[in-house]
Amino acid sequence: MSPFFKIRFLLRLCSGAALLAGAEGVASARPNHLLPQYQAAWQATQSAPASQLSTLSATATETATASTPSGSGASAVAQTPTLLRSALMAKSLASSVAPYVPTRPPGGLDAATGVPALWQNATIGQIGVMADGSVQQSDKGAPNGVAALDANGAMTAPVSGDLSTATAKIGANGAVGRPLAERFADQLNAKDFGLALDGKTDDTAALQAAKNAAASGAVIQLPAGKLALKALPTGSTPNLWQANGTLQADGGPLTTLGTDVLESTLEGGKYFARGQTAADMAPVLRKDLDVTHSGGKAGFVMNLEKGNCTIPSVGAALNDYVWCHSTVLNSAAFGGGQHVAQASLAQRPANALADGKGSRSQIWAGYDETRDDTGQPSNIAGSLVGREIDVYANADDPNNWRIGLQLQIAGAESTGTPGRVGKGIALGNNDGTSAYGIMIDAAGRFDTAGIDLSRSTPVNNAPVLNIGANRNLAFSDDHKPHFQFDSAAYTLRYWYDTTPLFSVGMNGDVTTAIANPESGMAWTLGGQALVGVNLTGLSTPEAMRFGTGQALSWEPTAVVQTRFADGKLTDQVAAGVARTLDTQGNESIPGAAHNSQTVVSLSQPTASAFVAQGTAAIGLDTTGLTAPDALRMTEGQHVSWEQTATVQTRFSSGQLQDTWGGTALRSLDQSGNETLTGSSLNSGMTTTMNNGSASAITLNGKAGIGVNLSGLTTPQAVRLGSGQTVAWEPTGVITTGYTTTGLRDANGSTTLRQLDTAGNETLSGALTPAGGIRLPTFSRAAIKGMSNLPIGTTLYDADDDAPAIYTSAGWKLAALNAIP
């Protein structure tokens, strides 16, 4: 073939290929070869003999070429597959030759697909038949095409429409497929009821519809969004709402949905809340753990709830408080309930011992453990507190209702035997070497008692405070003054530092030790008493024992002393010896013995006429003197009753006077009239008066009570003579007294009220009680049994519910009418 024809042939071939490509480009979408009409053509192709396929293919090609005008060869070639398929569909083929099965390249034909050797001489129609039975790249994911497969051979197809009847199952072994509608109904979602969650549309009806559809205890989910509500959902069946990022319309956190429990994330953490309550509601959160196993590791702790709060030493110093568990109770309620921020109950049931296995394990209502594992002292490692209880309040606590820590005990059953708790508070050690600094430190202010055991009830003479033998009870921070019971000697000792200063033995013997020879006092008594030291009940023949040379001082300055020294009993005043008595009974007196009837003339006005020194039972004894005047003084002279001469008694200006510092406190005149300034403290005092115009006793001055007889045990506080009266004001006009007619209250000589010996009271005026008059009440039988009563006696008949009046004709009932 000449070059010219070669070039022309190639151009025609390229032109035909271009026309074929163009025809395919403008043709309609490729048919779906899986539809029934194309399946029939494919089956016919499969059953045709190879020779007929070749003949039909050639005939179709020739026919197409012959019937096509010149220049339309490309169109004829493009129509060949269609003509071939039409011929195959119109003619029934039957032969004994085995059917031909075409080879289809995986993935269909494209520019990179090589034609198998078997098809190298195939016609365009034959290639079209092969292409129609294969999957083209352009069919993947196309409408009426095929679903694309991923690299693992899995199909990903778009889903639309109502799939509620579709089924699905999870990949776990043993799982079964379920309808999607059933799976979606496992938990209610408020979105399924028209919830808008746009912060503007009222979601009240949708939320209420979701609750109405939910069963009791069911969970209702709330998606993220803003919830606009005019009212909270209501209903008696409880539900749990799970909010996943749901907010209020203003963007604030959602914290309540009526009486239902709300579960959400508030401030980034899990949050459970119930904003409203009804009576006797179940708890917001309940956790149960039933322990049913036996055995296990010794000391292993099984928890119902466990929280770990770790604060590592990283970053800057922490200035905020970290509370691993916090419970806050705010209560302003009233009523008979008790509100507790946190409660724990550890209970051993009544049938715990029914299995006969003996004593049970320990139970604890609460356990706190604080550890410092640094091995360093607290000034290096830092502070550590086992548990702190703070009580904050203002104002007083008159009822003692504010209690920092209260421990109460009672029997588990009121009808059972009384229970007993061995120890109220036990402070101990978990090892044998560690020690407390102070076991109980009462460092706060108090105004009643540091430790009050006064209301405790000892049984069997149990001590209210027991510190044990050989233990100290200290009284200062340095612990130097302290008490200790010496168990070996069975003696209570008072120590200062290491020196025992005072001790009481088991038989009551008292021993003291003094280490201060200059000014120390072995025994000092202060205050007031009838007897300084009373040894009268001591049966020992020696009431008191002194050492040789020791002195007995008789006044505070120790100037006047008595001692036994040098074989003599010596009484001395200052440094001068006043009197000595030797073992032979000889008495030596350096001064003079003033015998009776001794008259001493003094010419020194400042000196005492008689000075008695020493010791005697009576300073001056005149009982044996037969003279009628035991002591005589002249006008104006006085007797002083103490060393300063402040308290004196004298006769002056015709009156016997007791004075204090020159002021007359009591005066008695020659007529027997006594005048007191102050109170009369004498008992059994009788004064005889001969002056009818004078007062027997006159009290002047100021006092809380004029005459106080409340401490007098006699049944008669005051006795008056018949006809005598008590005046109630200074003029003596208003009086009370007893006459022959009875007890009388009078205004001058006019009787105001009279009470006779029979108990009858007569008033001159009117009886006007503020609370009305209440008649004595008797039964009808009792009233009829009364006789010989004064006319006009009025009683109340309890049977007739009316007053009864005694008249000359007997008892009469008074008529009563209702008050209009």
Side-chain angles (χ1 to χ4, degrees), residues 369-373 375 427-437 439:
E369 178 178 332
T370 306
R371 300 177 61 93
D372 185 345
D373 294 331
L427 303 177
N429 288 73
N430 284 332
D431 57 44
T433 57
S434 300
Y436 294 95
M439 296 197 77

Side-chain angles (χ1 to χ4, degrees), residues 222-263:
L222 289 174
K226 292 184 178 181
L227 194 64
L229 293 177
K230 292 183 178 180
L232 296 176
T234 60
S236 59
T237 58
N239 295 108
L240 173 65
W241 299 80
Q242 289 182 335
N244 184 14
T246 314
L247 303 175
Q248 297 187 68
D250 59 0
L254 185 64
T255 59
T256 177
L257 280 177
T259 58
D260 285 339
V261 176
L262 173 67
E263 177 187 356

